[in-house]
Amino acid sequence: MKKAIVTIVALLVVVGAVWWMSGGAATPVRPQEHPWPAKLGALRDVPKRYPRSGQSDAASELLDLADAAQLDLVPLMGEPPAPVAETSPLRVEAREYIRLQLSREGEAIDDVPKTLADYLTKYNAPLDAVRDRLLRGDPVQWPVTLEGAVMTPNLLAIIQLQRALVARSLLKARGGDARAWDELHASWQLAGSLWNRPEPASVLVGLASARMINAAARKLPLPVPPWFREVLDFDPALSLAAAQQAEVWSRSEISDDADAFERIRFATRSFRRARAAEAQRQFLERALDSRACDFASLGLKSDENREAWRRLLRYRAEREATERVLQLRAGQKPSPQSQCSDGSWNVTANGFAFTRDIPVQAPGIAVPLRYSR
């Protein structure tokens, strides 16, 4: 009996020593090891997802073609430059022209303002060449570097090119030209070069482009080409989650603000799980089984994540609205059902409206969630 007691005591001493040397039974897991949503893995896995890569031949050709239209798409080394005064037609007139057209219900399209019209006329041939190159389909890939001399896409120039393509699409649609869809298709191909980037800013420019493409499609001549199904089906939530994880990884290399990293990871996980947003319920209860279309009703307060997810969540409802516009114009009856359980569609013979308002933060485009013929 004494021998058994001695053996047990000895084992307890050994176990206690191991427990003490390992820091106790509740050794915390470092933030770098916490799993992220959507099978993104831990922070340490980020470099595996974004291996160093060069610029594709399609991207190099696009640079030369865009240069002829006075658009410098050359990727940037290091941090993006400070914003400059927006003076070119594509920075001012195209932006405001597109915002006005896409914020309006119905198929009416205004003529483009003179300065923008002059630019589109002067560089019609180079922009045709850009469009045709993008429509060839081989992917445009910008350089990817996570460490050392970081290269990033020239997002300011890319959004200017997107405005040019969308404006050309609207101008052709105004004349009833079915080739307006080709301009949007080229714009969609260009947006595709940004979805798999490690910078959240790149994904957000891709999202801004997708929102323009989606809203402009409502005004284009029927029939709708098969490729547009990609726009209606593709959800960039995974792209945004992955880019936000990559940004946390880059910050973790120079900072030890574990609490901040965990807040971003938690917010990303919650939004990825979100399927609806019902009023008067706690955020965590909703986020685990909901799919939101209105950020505000989720109740989460965060920094730059807030606006990023706000735009993405509303885009879900915007895509549903576009699909219903195109169905009504084609003589079909849209469904009142929505992926967003915080709202649905009131459908009549001549139109529809979402059952709740989802505000747009200025100066964003207030793409309508209603339509009447």
Side-chain angles (χ1 to χ4, degrees), residues 88-130:
S88 77
L90 294 179
R91 293 188 189 180
V92 180
E93 290 198 357
R95 180 190 63 201
E96 293 306 309
Y97 171 74
I98 290 170
R99 184 190 61 79
L100 180 60
Q101 308 314 307
L102 302 189
S103 299
R104 179 192 300 157
E105 287 183 57
E107 289 80 65
I109 301 173
D110 298 328
D111 199 2
V112 296
K114 184 179 185 308
T115 307
L116 177 58
D118 291 345
Y119 170 86
L120 295 177
T121 300
K122 182 177 181 179
Y123 296 108
N124 182 61
L127 290 172
D128 279 350
V130 165

Side-chain angles (χ1 to χ4, degrees), residues 225-271:
W227 70 263
F228 189 69
R229 191 72 244 173
E230 297 175 25
V231 180
L232 296 175
D233 291 342
F234 178 73
D235 189 346
L238 179 59
S239 298
L240 180 57
Q244 288 184 331
Q245 185 196 37
E247 183 177 48
V248 169
W249 175 87
S250 65
R251 291 181 184 179
S252 70
E253 296 294 293
I254 58 175
S255 171
D256 59 357
D257 190 354
D259 288 342
F261 301 155
E262 275 299 281
R263 285 196 298 272
I264 297 175
R265 184 183 75 90
F266 182 78
T268 302
R269 182 185 66 183
S270 300
F271 278 118

Side-chain angles (χ1 to χ4, degrees), residues 176-353:
D177 189 344
R179 290 175 297 178
W181 286 103
D182 292 338
E183 306 293 334
L184 279 196
H185 194 184
S187 179
W188 179 244
Q189 294 294 100
L190 181 57
S193 71
L194 302 175
W195 296 132
N196 296 319
R197 299 289 309 178
E199 316 91 15
S202 291
V203 177
L204 289 178
V205 168
L207 177 59
S209 303
R211 293 185 67 217
M212 288 193 295
I213 294 164
N214 173 72
R218 305 177 184 189
K219 300 175 180 291
L220 270 55
L222 297 178
V224 180
W227 70 263
F228 189 69
R229 191 72 244 173
E230 297 175 25
V231 180
L232 296 175
D233 291 342
F234 178 73
D235 189 346
L238 179 59
S239 298
L240 180 57
Q244 288 184 331
Q245 185 196 37
E247 183 177 48
V248 169
W249 175 87
S250 65
R251 291 181 184 179
S252 70
E253 296 294 293
I254 58 175
S255 171
D256 59 357
D257 190 354
D259 288 342
F261 301 155
E262 275 299 281
R263 285 196 298 272
I264 297 175
R265 184 183 75 90
F266 182 78
T268 302
R269 182 185 66 183
S270 300
F271 278 118
R272 279 291 299 165
R273 292 180 177 182
R275 301 230 175 250
E278 301 166 358
Q280 309 302 320
R281 296 182 60 192
Q282 294 297 316
F283 168 71
L284 287 179
E285 294 176 1
R286 293 195 304 270
L288 291 175
D289 62 358
S290 65
R291 185 178 182 90
C293 282
D294 182 0
F295 176 93
S297 63
L298 283 172
L300 182 68
K301 295 180 180 179
S302 60
D303 43 20
E304 61 268 15
N305 287 320
R306 177 171 53 195
E307 188 56 31
W309 287 103
R310 184 197 304 274
R311 297 176 198 175
L312 188 144
L313 297 177
R314 194 181 197 276
Y315 176 54
R316 290 172 173 170
E318 292 170 4
R319 288 186 306 172
E320 289 189 356
T322 292
E323 185 168 25
R324 282 155 179 75
V325 169
L326 296 173
Q327 288 172 337
L328 277 172
R329 290 181 56 203
Q332 302 167 10
K333 183 178 180 180
S335 167
Q337 301 301 317
S338 172
Q339 293 184 38
C340 316
S341 67
D342 55 340
S344 60
W345 300 96
N346 286 330
V347 179
T348 68
N350 297 311
F352 63 81

